[in-house]
Amino acid sequence: MISLAEMKRWGMLQRHCMNRRERVWSVDGEVVARLTIVADTDCLEPHPCLKIAGTAFGRRIDCLVLLEALDLPLGGERWYALCPKAGRRCAVLILPPGALHFASVKGWRIPYGSQRECEVHRAYRAIDKANKRRKALSKYARNPTKDRLWSRIAAKHQFVESELDRLAAMIRRG
């Protein structure tokens, strides 16, 4: 995964500059990808682009992704990659195993993990998220904020209980 926000933090996306960075990805201590990323913003190429070269999942990768900068209302600019598959702006590029070039999540048509979960698991995840948020609140947090979190947790617990009751009734019926 290549994030343009991360590249901006590294100082790679600056006007009229060319920057190079090498990234190594490993899984369980084994290197799965070693890529060199070159960000060329109006130096040698006619259009800003990312050149990605190296090896990933045992295959040679050589990819060119165009970049687009949008001016922000209060000054500065925000960089986007133009997805080679979808032709849309994106902030993150991914390389699925076996693929030869980077593209956006929508370009690869990869569903998010939550889209494959059942409703009960999504409810449990929402409960965990609300509990983490509640525990991270300052002691000076306003009562309406705390009440909203508690009501969200209670509603999700009620949903889980109703689904479990429905499942138990289906089992009793045979």
Side-chain angles (χ1 to χ4, degrees):
M1 176 176 86
I2 296 175
S3 166
L4 295 185
E6 192 175 81
M7 292 177 67
K8 178 84 171 162
R9 272 195 310 275
W10 294 336
M12 286 186 74
L13 295 176
Q14 297 175 5
R15 277 281 176 199
H16 310 295
C17 289
M18 178 183 270
N19 290 300
R20 174 190 165 134
R21 190 155 190 119
E22 186 167 319
R23 290 286 316 263
V24 177
W25 286 270
S26 60
V27 175
D28 297 329
E30 182 181 338
V31 174
V32 293
R34 184 180 305 272
L35 298 172
T36 302
I37 304 165
V38 177
D40 184 355
T41 54
D42 300 328
C43 283
L44 299 177
E45 296 292 328
H47 298 287
C49 64
L50 286 178
K51 296 175 188 169
I52 306 166
T55 58
F57 307 108
R59 301 175 88 176
R60 181 87 185 120
I61 303 295
D62 194 16
C63 177
L64 179 77
V65 178
L66 296 178
L67 296 174
E68 183 177 320
L70 290 182
D71 293 328
L72 296 176
L74 298 176
E77 59 191 2
R78 178 162 181 180
W79 289 92
Y80 290 97
L82 295 176
C83 175
K85 289 181 83 62
R88 301 168 55 159
R89 288 187 206 128
C90 64
V92 175
L93 298 168
I94 63 168
L95 179 73
L100 294 175
H101 63 279
F102 281 83
S104 66
V105 172
K106 288 192 181 218
W108 286 114
R109 296 183 180 176
I110 296 174
Y112 291 101
S114 62
Q115 292 173 311
R116 295 187 302 266
E117 286 180 341
C118 72
E119 295 171 350
V120 174
H121 287 123
R122 266 191 304 237
Y124 276 126
R125 201 162 33 81
I127 290 169
D128 290 341
K129 184 178 178 180
N131 274 326
K132 285 179 188 173
R133 170 116 166 78
R134 184 184 55 80
K135 289 175 183 173
L137 285 176
S138 163
K139 68 178 184 178
Y140 302 110
R142 298 176 60 228
N143 284 334
T145 303
K146 295 176 187 176
D147 293 342
R148 247 192 334 268
L149 285 172
W150 278 116
S151 64
R152 188 178 302 156
I153 291 168
K156 294 297 180 181
H157 273 297
Q158 184 179 4
F159 172 77
V160 169
E161 288 175 12
S162 68
E163 287 295 308
L164 291 176
D165 289 342
R166 189 176 65 82
L167 182 61
M170 286 174 52
I171 291 172
R172 273 187 247 128
R173 277 187 247 141

